[in-house]
């Protein structure tokens, strides 16, 4: 049985950790190569302008896990956008950092730390995947705020969750002020109904998938639209997913992207449409 992370205390969240220890707790750290490909594709695609425009192309992979494979992959993918990118993999468990050190190279480094982000400068991108999932929902706003306060102008914090091999993925994108959007990305053939992805919702939403909550309404709307687009299945699931996305957009959901992203099994909606009720 895996032990959940301990609560992150108020002094830690507010930055008043007098011990000097990293903010957060050691979590199980499970990971797999190519697990983050879907969110990386989004960062290197519609969000690439943030990295291109950054005065300091600093990127943090926060809580990369027991092996540094996904941090290395993030560096390789973002280097194609900006050659001088600096990716720092941060882990709270020192042994994981020691194991990653042989993979350091110009532009890629590893260090011990937590949500306080022990880097010089303000990152333009921070990716934390399958990290907050192991904390309490009540801790999420404070952790978000701690990371948001470290972002550079135009910076983005990605808090996401995915399955073990990256076929069902969701993430919340936040700038320095507020949450901006919820993205869902799935591999065709990995689900029966789109709402199957609900088990991988980020911590801020996973317990809110109940009647009366906005994110539950989105899951139900996706299922209805998917079933309504069944005639498109003869052309393949890609066409059916795009039909589902059009249906949602036409029904008034604040879909932020278009067919170029839909065809990848991706959907992004504005945060206000799915934010938890008070």
């Amino acid at each position: 049985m895996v032990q959940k992370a301990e609560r992150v205390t108020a002094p830690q969240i507010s930055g008043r950790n007098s011990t000097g220890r990293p903010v957060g707790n050691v979590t199980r750290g499970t990971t797999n190569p190519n697990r983050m490909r879907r969110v990386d594709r989004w960062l290197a695609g519609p969000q690439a302008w943030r990295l291109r425009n950054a005065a300091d192309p600093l990127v943090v992979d926060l809580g990369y896990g027991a092996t540094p494979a996904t941090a290395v992959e993030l560096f390789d993918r973002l280097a194609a956008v900006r050659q001088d990118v600096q990716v720092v993999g941060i882990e709270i468990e020192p042994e994981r950092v020691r194991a990653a050190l042989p993979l350091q190279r110009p532009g890629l480094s590893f260090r011990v730390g937590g949500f306080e982000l022990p880097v010089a400068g303000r990152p333009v991108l921070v990716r934390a995947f399958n990290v907050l999932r192991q904390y309490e929902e009540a801790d999420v706003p404070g952790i978000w705020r701690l990371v948001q306060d470290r972002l550079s102008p135009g910076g983005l914090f990605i808090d996401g969750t995915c399955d073990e091999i990256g076929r069902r993925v969701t993430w919340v994108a936040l700038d320095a002020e507020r949450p901006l959007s919820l993205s869902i990305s799935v591999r065709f053939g990995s689900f029966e109904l789109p709402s199957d992805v609900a088990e991988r919702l980020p911590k801020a939403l996973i317990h809110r998938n109940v009647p009366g909550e906005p994110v539950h309404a989105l899951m139900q709307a996706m299922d209805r639209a998917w079933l309504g687009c069944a005639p498109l299945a003869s052309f393949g699931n890609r066409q059916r997913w795009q039909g589902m996305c059009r249906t949602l957009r036409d029904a008034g959901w604040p879909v932020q992207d278009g067919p170029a992203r839909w065809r990848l099994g991706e959907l992004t909606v504005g945060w206000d449409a799915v934010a938890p009720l008070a």
Side-chain angles (χ1 to χ4, degrees), residues 32-55:
N32 279 303
N34 217 25
R35 190 181 186 187
M36 310 302 177
R37 63 192 179 276
R38 291 185 173 274
V39 65
D40 289 355
R41 182 171 59 190
W42 188 74
L43 292 173
Q47 301 302 316
W49 65 272
R50 298 179 187 272
L51 187 57
R52 294 192 184 102
N53 294 345

